[in-house]
Amino acid sequence: MSEKKETRIDYGIVLSLLLLAIISIATMFSTISLIGGGSMRGTIMHIAWYIVGAVSIIVIMQFDSEQLWKITPYGYAIGLILLFLVLFLYDEPLFLRTGAKSWFKLGPLTFQPSEVMKIAFILMLARTVTQHNATFVNHKTESDFMLLGKITLVSAPPMLLVLLQNDLGTTLVFIAIVIGVILMSGISWKILVPLFSSVAIIGATLLLLVVYNRELLYNLGFKDYQFSRIDSWLDPYHDTQGAAYQLLQSIKAIGSGKVFGKGFGVSEVYVPVRESDMIFATIGENFGFIGGAVLILIYFMLVYQMIRVCLDTKNIFYTYIATGVIMMIVFHVFENVGMSIGLLPLTGIPLPFISQGGSALLGNMMGIGLIMSMRYHYKSYMFSEDDEEFR
């Protein structure tokens, strides 16, 4: 085992995260207190969650890859248990309001276990692929299909439990993570091209069925609210006072900000759930195209720094972890901004590090902690063939 003497903190990631925190807290104050006319409590709670997230980063950075490897199965099992329990112990008022059984209620706080489960899931996927590739060094068709089977076995339980919570958005995040890890796993393109082509064909077929034959999809278990989101995406003006209202108001708010925005805390357009799912509407209305572009540029900076850490590490387990975290954050940004401006369907996915929601913020901060752990320890391990130890 070789180890560099120096341990480093990636200040590029710290700077990007600090900028996002400043934007997030300012936007939360603008949305809740100035635009919404509420108290400072929401902003203070958001700051408190940022502090908890920062502590989680510091704690996770203390774990090197050997320790992460050992605790991964336990974290994954605990995550599955929490996803199962929330189906029965969910917050009923939130369920009545959102239709999702995704939150525990802990006194005045709510907690969404699927957000933290994303991190346990990434670790378990990374461990599964690393272990398989250490055993089957030379990729063959049989071993590649075996790896796909292992990935499916790891992925199916959390995805099924999240779907049972009526949370399609989070399920899509899990799928994005899986796709990223599969692409990095070394599986032959002779398998991946037909696989992804089949998925694309199935997706296109489902979209056509939404338009031309919904009865079949109803029989398959699809719900009215899912159809309404597709309808709003395809035609935001079809139901301006109903299903498409939130999306249309978001588009109006962002468009009304024009190039430079209306100014901090200034809003003339009401947008439902602006503080969480539609937080980008506040940024667009207050700071215009320039503000939105600066935010996206900061995300690019953060992702670039994470990719650089991923490329620098000589530890393959860390590489798969970084892939999962990067895919999680990139998909969140892509989907949230896309749905806010009408390019993608509404899914209820928050904007990373910006939207209100302590569980989501904590999960993202834990992901950053994993990335920073790579640079902090700066170790290179050799994975042994007995598949259980690093040496």
Side-chain angles (χ1 to χ4, degrees), residues 110-266:
T110 56
F111 180 74
Q112 191 173 2
S114 59
E115 293 293 344
V116 178
M117 179 60 188
K118 292 173 188 175
I119 304 303
F121 177 63
I122 288 169
L123 287 169
M124 194 63 186
L125 270 183
R127 178 182 162 117
T128 300
V129 176
T130 303
Q131 185 172 323
H132 176 90
N133 286 342
T135 305
F136 300 93
V137 179
N138 298 316
H139 283 266
K140 296 181 180 179
T141 302
E142 296 103 2
S143 64
D144 283 351
F145 274 114
M146 189 184 302
L147 178 55
L148 280 175
K150 292 176 181 178
I151 291 173
T152 301
L153 287 175
V154 170
S155 306
M159 287 188 190
L160 177 60
L161 289 170
V162 172
L163 275 176
L164 291 174
Q165 297 171 17
N166 293 328
D167 191 350
L168 178 61
T170 301
T171 306
L172 293 176
V173 177
F174 277 91
I175 292 173
I177 293 169
V178 171
I179 290 174
V181 173
I182 286 177
L183 289 174
M184 289 290 291
S185 66
I187 295 175
S188 171
W189 282 100
K190 294 179 181 179
I191 296 174
L192 293 184
V193 170
L195 176 64
F196 289 133
S197 297
S198 300
V199 172
I201 291 171
I202 292 172
T205 301
L206 289 174
L207 188 58
L208 288 173
L209 289 174
V210 169
V211 178
Y212 297 109
N213 188 1
R214 294 190 177 183
E215 191 62 36
L216 177 60
L217 295 179
Y218 275 121
N219 294 333
L220 293 174
F222 284 78
K223 308 296 183 182
D224 284 325
Y225 76 92
Q226 295 169 331
F227 291 128
S228 66
R229 288 179 176 179
I230 298 295
D231 291 337
S232 301
W233 171 50
L234 295 175
D235 182 11
Y237 296 93
H238 85 286
D239 186 10
T240 58
Q241 298 301 315
Y245 179 72
Q246 185 183 34
L247 173 59
L248 191 59
Q249 293 300 102
S250 175
I251 294 173
K252 286 180 180 178
I254 294 170
S256 67
K258 299 182 181 178
V259 178
F260 298 104
K262 300 173 181 175
F264 183 68
V266 179

Side-chain angles (χ1 to χ4, degrees), residues 193-365:
V193 170
L195 176 64
F196 289 133
S197 297
S198 300
V199 172
I201 291 171
I202 292 172
T205 301
L206 289 174
L207 188 58
L208 288 173
L209 289 174
V210 169
V211 178
Y212 297 109
N213 188 1
R214 294 190 177 183
E215 191 62 36
L216 177 60
L217 295 179
Y218 275 121
N219 294 333
L220 293 174
F222 284 78
K223 308 296 183 182
D224 284 325
Y225 76 92
Q226 295 169 331
F227 291 128
S228 66
R229 288 179 176 179
I230 298 295
D231 291 337
S232 301
W233 171 50
L234 295 175
D235 182 11
Y237 296 93
H238 85 286
D239 186 10
T240 58
Q241 298 301 315
Y245 179 72
Q246 185 183 34
L247 173 59
L248 191 59
Q249 293 300 102
S250 175
I251 294 173
K252 286 180 180 178
I254 294 170
S256 67
K258 299 182 181 178
V259 178
F260 298 104
K262 300 173 181 175
F264 183 68
V266 179
S267 175
E268 299 169 350
V269 182
Y270 171 72
V271 181
V273 204
R274 187 194 279 260
E275 68 279 1
S276 55
D277 297 347
M278 291 299 175
I279 195 70
F280 193 72
T282 295
I283 294 170
E285 190 172 10
N286 284 184
F287 306 109
F289 173 80
I290 299 298
V294 168
L295 176 62
I296 292 173
L297 178 62
I298 295 172
Y299 279 125
F300 271 116
M301 287 173 51
L302 176 63
V303 171
Y304 167 75
Q305 295 291 337
M306 292 192 294
I307 292 174
R308 194 181 68 174
V309 172
C310 179
L311 294 176
D312 286 346
T313 182
K314 298 177 182 179
N315 185 318
I316 194 65
F317 180 45
Y318 267 148
T319 300
Y320 294 127
I321 292 173
T323 300
V325 173
I326 291 168
M327 285 299 297
M328 176 183 73
I329 292 176
V330 167
F331 183 79
H332 268 265
V333 174
F334 181 75
E335 171 58 30
N336 183 275
V337 174
M339 75 180 188
S340 297
I341 60 179
L343 292 180
L344 295 171
L346 292 172
T347 56
I349 291 178
L351 189 60
F353 309 106
I354 304 294
S355 293
Q356 186 183 54
S359 306
L361 179 58
L362 179 60
N364 289 323
M365 297 286 267

Side-chain angles (χ1 to χ4, degrees), residues 6-15 57-58 61-62 305 308-309 371-378:
E6 60 178 314
T7 58
R8 295 197 299 170
I9 294 175
D10 195 311
Y11 290 105
I13 292 179
V14 173
L15 175 61
I57 290 177
I58 295 171
M61 283 175 60
Q62 309 311 310
Q305 295 291 337
R308 194 181 68 174
V309 172
I371 299 290
M372 294 190 68
S373 170
M374 303 178 195
R375 183 74 75 190
Y376 186 73
H377 293 283
Y378 223 110

